[in-house]
Amino acid sequence: MRITELLKAETVIVDLQSSTKADVINELVEKLDTAGRLNDKEGFREAILAREAQSTTGIGEGIAIPHAKTKAVKTPAIAFGKSAAGIDYEALDGQPSHLFFMIAASEGANNTHLETLSRLSTFLMDEQFREKLKTATDVEEIIRIIDDKESAEVEKAEEVETDSEQGLVLAVTGCPTGIAHTYMAADALKAKAKEMDVNIKVQTNGSTGVKNRLTTEEIEKATAIIVAADTKVDMDVFEGKHVIEVPVAQAIKQPRELIEKALKQDAPVYRGSGGNKEKEREGNASGERKGFYKHLMNGVSNMLPFVVGGGILIAISFIFGIEAFDPNSPDYHPIAAALMTIGGGTAFGLMIPVLAGFIASSIADRPGFAPGMIGGMLAANGDAGFLGGLIAGFLAGYIVLGLKWIFKGLPQSLEGIKPVLLFPLFGILITGFIMLEIIIEPVQAINRGLESWLGGMGTGNLVLLGLILGGMMAVDMGGPINKAAFTFGIAMIDAGNFAPHAAIMAGGMVPPLGIALATTFFKRKFTEQERDAGKTNYVMGATFITEGAIPFAAADPGRVIPSIIVGSSVAGALAMLFGIGLPAPHGGLFVIPFVYGNPLMYILAIIAGAIVTALMLGFWKKDVKE
């Protein structure tokens, strides 16, 4: 399939009218939608913005490639836009972007489509090709330039010469969607290596699978390996080699520096599951979060499906009666009992072990998982609760790191028994013993004290707690502060105190709902695109998806963020004041009928917070001129 089968005249804009990053995204999305390529315009826009939130797709050299792979796309397509003046797209080199290719890949896109989309990314590394596009004056000329370029390209089998005096450099590239950056990084490395007369082979981990896979023989001969990826890469095959780990964008921007470091072996030796990773690899320039937060979020993110799925099943069981799951209750119903067994007994029963297991595996890789799970299970069964699970995860992870260090001197012939025998045996034993004999009893006491403290709080103190927790949900809308409040709420549900999470969910629902109300009642304060996006925020707010507010906060943080924090704080405080308890950790509007207390008063608290946010935005924001 050729690129021009996906890029058609009706998806080309020769002269973009946009002047900002947000506007150019909206203009290109609108073009794809008008051309009939999308099922859900707003869903596709959200997917594009979610990709931009991971890292900018403004790759430099005047190019931006916003892209997403989502079910919101009806037919795989490319939209092209050109801006002679240039637009600030937060590009990696800080320069304005002139050429914009928006790639729309459908969720079920086949390999042919994905390879065609990826091929475009490699063409853009050619400076002459870019210059021709910049000077093109009409749609037909743009289509012809791309078609000619593709016709002129001859497929060349990659051959790796391993007899160079400079040695062999290997690389792996991968980006979250596996469409654009993956191949641009590969081409940048190959082009620079050719210029430097360096032998290189690049493996691409793209949407269509691994291409040009590195062999065991090549890895053994390699001087060093560059891993330029924002996705998970199988690293154990690089055991004992010098490995440079960077984001995929750095390979596009700084290929020479990376190749030079590889030739000098200016990188730590990678130690896989048989040893630690050289103190998180001191040469790592990825800039990703490390330490406590990274490990905690690995546990929380993997735990959430159990929390959300199990919590909603518990809430559904309440339809038959709050105690309908209990065989001794006059309201007993077998369906309610089954739902409670699946959601409460099983999904919630696995919540703490999964949290601990994935924290431990974040610290110590796969060998940490089993000790973490066992420690978490002991915490759950020993009534040490959420706090006990957190301690178990970090304890198990660092115990396994210690075991890796202790056993690193064993003969190479025993290397294979470490992950299957030594690490699980001693990791589970030591973690389990410490949890039983040292951790569980003090943590039980802490949990009882916390429950007693919350239970003894006066109304004024509870309202203050609700105000703080509600506000935290709006500070970064899904970021660390939001997750800290959400995690606290889950811990309180696990401990049997349902009031804090009621304040937390109310605070999390307000930002998108408040913005939706503002776009409805203060239309002059928002652009047409913002008003359209505001409609989807009714749904996102109702389903407790705080992230719906992010695009608005990014566009106008000085006004939007204070407004949503105040509104969320009001909702959280009122939920506490009205004595609401929430036994389900997620679900938004769907679980409100099952709250402890008056559901109507809970709805009133949420609406009040949303109105406060809407009024603040309406008062604060200036009229826009479209």
Side-chain angles (χ1 to χ4, degrees):
M1 174 176 282
R2 298 181 68 86
I3 291 170
T4 47
E5 292 180 56
L6 299 175
L7 176 67
K8 297 289 189 179
E10 60 265 29
T11 60
V12 173
I13 304 174
V14 178
D15 184 16
L16 285 165
Q17 301 303 301
S18 304
S19 58
T20 67
K21 178 176 179 176
D23 289 344
V24 75
I25 288 174
N26 290 335
E27 192 171 348
L28 291 172
V29 169
E30 192 68 41
K31 191 69 173 175
L32 286 169
D33 187 56
T34 304
R37 304 301 196 269
L38 305 178
N39 290 317
D40 178 1
K41 180 174 70 173
E42 294 306 323
F44 180 66
R45 192 199 318 272
E46 293 292 338
I48 288 288
L49 293 173
R51 173 62 187 88
E52 292 296 326
Q54 294 175 348
S55 62
T56 182
T57 58
I59 61 173
E61 305 292 346
I63 307 165
I65 313 180
H67 56 275
K69 182 179 178 184
T70 168
K71 63 183 179 182
V73 175
K74 182 191 297 183
T75 307
I78 302 169
F80 170 75
K82 185 163 71 77
S83 170
I87 296 168
D88 181 4
Y89 201 86
E90 301 171 5
L92 295 173
D93 59 4
Q95 299 301 311
S97 298
H98 298 272
L99 304 177
F100 301 86
F101 286 89
M102 179 170 281
I103 296 176
S106 58
E107 200 165 54
N110 59 37
N111 286 1
T112 304
H113 285 130
L114 294 170
E115 287 170 358
T116 305
L117 295 169
S118 302
R119 199 180 315 132
L120 170 65
S121 304
T122 66
F123 290 173
L124 291 169
M125 300 309 294
D126 183 336
E127 185 177 357
Q128 291 184 341
F129 176 61
R130 297 196 303 265
E131 288 304 317
K132 287 180 181 178
L133 287 175
K134 286 180 183 179
T135 57
T137 57
D138 56 51
V139 173
E140 290 73 19
E141 185 180 2
I142 289 167
I143 298 290
R144 188 179 67 253
I145 289 168
I146 294 171
D147 218 18
D148 290 347
K149 172 68 175 175
E150 192 162 21
S151 299
E153 287 293 316
V154 178
E155 293 290 336
K156 297 178 181 179
E158 294 203 53
E159 297 181 0
V160 180
E161 300 291 341
T162 60
D163 56 355
S164 167
E165 292 181 2
Q166 297 195 76
L168 170 65
V169 174
L170 301 180
V172 180
T173 63
C175 68
T177 51
I179 296 173
H181 287 58
T182 300
Y183 300 96
M184 299 184 77
D187 273 15
L189 288 167
K190 288 185 287 187
K192 189 57 65 176
K194 183 177 180 181
E195 179 185 311
M196 297 169 66
D197 194 26
V198 173
N199 293 324
I200 193 168
K201 178 177 179 180
V202 184
Q203 171 183 308
T204 53
N205 292 7
S207 288
T208 59
V210 174
K211 296 292 180 67
N212 209 31
R213 187 183 293 275
L214 306 179
T215 67
T216 303
E217 182 182 359
E218 289 163 350
I219 293 169
E220 288 176 359
K221 292 179 179 178
T223 303
I225 294 98
I226 300 167
V227 177
D230 297 326
T231 56
K232 186 173 178 59
V233 172
D234 181 10
M235 299 291 292
D236 284 347
V237 295
F238 304 136
E239 172 82 27
K241 304 299 293 186
H242 292 275
V243 178
I244 301 166
E245 290 189 80
V246 296
V248 67
Q250 193 165 333
I252 299 172
K253 188 178 179 183
Q254 299 175 323
R256 176 182 289 277
E257 289 85 342
L258 293 176
I259 293 169
E260 288 175 346
K261 285 186 70 173
L263 293 174
K264 296 174 185 175
Q265 295 188 324
D266 182 13
V269 173
Y270 182 81
R271 303 297 180 193
S273 50
N276 68 38
K277 296 182 183 177
E278 298 280 344
K279 301 267 189 182
E280 296 273 352
R281 286 182 293 286
E282 295 168 20
N284 189 343
S286 68
E288 64 179 276
R289 294 182 181 271
K290 296 179 174 62
F292 179 85
Y293 178 78
K294 174 188 173 185
H295 305 319
L296 175 61
M297 284 302 104
N298 192 58
V300 170
S301 62
N302 283 286
M303 175 192 71
L304 280 181
F306 295 86
V307 174
V308 175
I312 292 176
L313 289 175
I314 292 171
I316 294 172
S317 77
F318 295 154
I319 293 174
F320 300 93
I322 294 297
E323 296 183 355
F325 63 89
D326 184 354
N328 298 318
S329 169
D331 296 328
Y332 174 74
H333 195 288
I335 294 178
L339 291 168
M340 184 61 74
T341 299
I342 297 167
T346 307
F348 260 41
L350 286 170
M351 177 179 73
I352 291 174
V354 166
L355 170 75
F358 279 97
I359 288 174
S361 65
S362 176
I363 296 168
D365 292 327
R366 282 175 291 181
F369 186 71
M373 284 285 290
I374 298 301
M377 184 66 75
L378 289 170
N381 292 339
D383 293 327
F386 199 83
L387 178 58
L390 288 176
I391 294 171
F394 284 98
L395 175 68
Y398 287 111
I399 283 173
V400 173
L401 280 186
L403 291 172
K404 289 181 177 183
W405 182 81
I406 290 169
F407 293 133
K408 69 180 180 181
L410 290 179
Q412 186 67 29
S413 59
L414 298 178
E415 194 69 27
I417 71 167
K418 290 181 184 179
V420 297
L421 175 61
L422 298 181
F423 296 149
L425 172 61
F426 289 102
I428 290 172
L429 173 64
I430 297 170
T431 301
F433 187 86
I434 293 175
M435 289 295 298
L436 285 173
E437 299 301 324
I438 301 174
I439 303 297
I440 288 179
E441 191 171 336
V443 172
Q444 285 177 340
I446 293 171
N447 285 337
R448 286 193 295 267
L450 182 59
E451 290 174 42
S452 176
W453 173 67
L454 286 171
M457 270 189 165
T459 301
N461 289 334
L462 284 172
V463 169
L464 177 61
L465 179 63
L467 184 136
I468 293 169
L469 291 173
M472 287 174 69
M473 293 299 291
V475 170
D476 53 1
M477 297 153 284
I481 297 174
N482 171 287
K483 287 291 188 292
F486 185 76
T487 302
F488 176 76
I490 294 172
M492 290 300 96
I493 289 176
D494 184 55
N497 191 314
F498 304 122
H501 204 72
I504 286 163
M505 192 171 84
M509 293 172 70
V510 161
L513 288 175
I515 287 170
L517 288 174
T519 59
T520 300
F521 293 104
F522 302 102
K523 289 183 169 61
R524 292 181 302 173
K525 310 285 184 175
F526 299 91
T527 65
E528 182 181 354
Q529 291 86 353
E530 287 174 331
R531 293 196 296 271
D532 289 342
K535 295 171 186 173
T536 66
N537 270 6
Y538 281 112
V539 177
M540 298 183 83
T543 51
F544 186 30
I545 301 175
T546 314
E547 288 83 350
I550 289 176
F552 293 86
D556 189 5
R559 295 181 178 88
V560 173
I561 293 177
S563 300
I564 61 177
I565 290 174
V566 172
S568 292
S569 296
V570 168
L574 288 175
M576 284 289 200
L577 180 65
F578 296 153
I580 308 299
L582 179 65
H586 212 288
L589 189 65
F590 300 103
V591 298
I592 288 178
F594 314 118
V595 300
Y596 294 113
N598 190 327
L600 293 177
M601 296 302 287
Y602 191 39
I603 293 172
L604 176 62
I606 295 166
I607 292 174
I611 289 172
V612 168
T613 291
L615 290 174
M616 288 183 67
L617 288 172
F619 173 77
W620 227 343
K621 286 181 71 70
K622 297 178 181 178
D623 290 353
V624 297
K625 295 179 181 180
E626 297 192 69

